[in-house]
Amino acid sequence: ALACAAALGSAVEGAYADPVYPSQNQVNQAQQAVQQDKQAVGPIQAQFDAAQQQLTLLVRESQIAAERFDAATFRLQQAQVAAERAADRVLAAERRLAEVRSDLGRLAAAAYRDGNGLGSVSLVLNADGPEQFVTGAHVLEHQGADLKATLQAADSARQDAQAARAAADDAVQARASAQALVAQAAQA
């Protein structure tokens, strides 16, 4: 029992022993190490702050570039639609011009068959009475009106075709410009 008590006493004595305090020299060395570490952290923190600012700037620039790319892509889509519509208008105007030219050809052929329109004039000049005279005059008037309307339609169709071609050329140039902007925005 005494041996147990002695062993227990020595175990308790070790548990309640006075702690070992560092010397003043050890404390000074530890404080110097902390100061050196603080000094080393300062430049690293400055580098980190500068990198964080640069990252923020780059993120904003990339957002702006993405917005420009999206806007350029939208303009390209609009330019492509405009170019397609302009091409359709050119085709329609050229078809109308071909129709009017065909009408002019028919009128020219009819005039040639009539002896340059003298057949209708001879109806008026050789009329046997007022009824034939009125009929001949009416035919001449109708032919003149047809010719005038056909010539006006031909001129209008020609102008429409020219305007449609010019609009199509402009649309193609706008599409090319939009494609260039998309390429620049994509590169940025």
Side-chain angles (χ1 to χ4, degrees):
L2 281 175
C4 258
L8 187 59
S10 67
V12 171
E13 180 181 313
Y16 291 108
D18 286 336
V20 178
Y21 293 106
S23 68
Q24 186 61 40
N25 188 27
Q26 290 173 328
V27 170
N28 290 342
Q29 287 177 352
Q31 286 176 341
Q32 284 177 349
V34 167
Q35 286 299 331
Q36 288 173 351
D37 288 346
K38 281 183 181 179
Q39 289 174 354
V41 168
I44 292 171
Q45 183 65 42
Q47 287 176 339
F48 176 77
D49 291 343
Q52 188 66 33
Q53 287 176 347
Q54 182 69 19
L55 176 63
T56 301
L57 178 65
L58 291 174
V59 165
R60 181 65 187 137
E61 287 176 1
S62 70
Q63 289 171 340
I64 290 170
E67 289 171 7
R68 287 182 181 152
F69 177 80
D70 290 343
T73 301
F74 180 71
R75 282 193 299 272
L76 174 60
Q77 290 169 347
Q78 287 179 321
Q80 286 173 331
V81 168
E84 290 169 4
R85 287 182 182 163
D88 291 344
R89 284 192 300 271
V90 166
L91 288 175
E94 287 178 348
R95 272 188 295 235
R96 176 68 183 129
L97 183 58
E99 290 171 3
V100 171
R101 284 183 177 158
S102 176
D103 290 346
L104 280 174
R106 280 193 291 275
L107 283 175
Y112 178 75
R113 280 191 309 270
D114 288 344
N116 292 328
L118 294 178
S120 300
V121 172
S122 67
L123 283 177
V124 174
L125 295 176
N126 298 328
D128 286 340
E131 191 174 299
Q132 280 187 343
F133 180 80
V134 170
T135 302
H138 182 67
V139 168
L140 278 176
E141 182 181 340
H142 183 68
Q143 285 177 343
D146 282 350
L147 180 60
K148 184 177 179 180
T150 303
L151 289 173
Q152 286 175 344
D155 188 48
S156 177
R158 182 188 53 77
Q159 289 175 359
D160 290 347
Q162 286 175 342
R165 283 187 205 107
D169 290 344
D170 291 345
V172 168
Q173 288 175 355
R175 181 178 59 195
S177 295
Q179 286 172 332
L181 287 175
V182 167
Q184 289 172 350
Q187 188 174 6

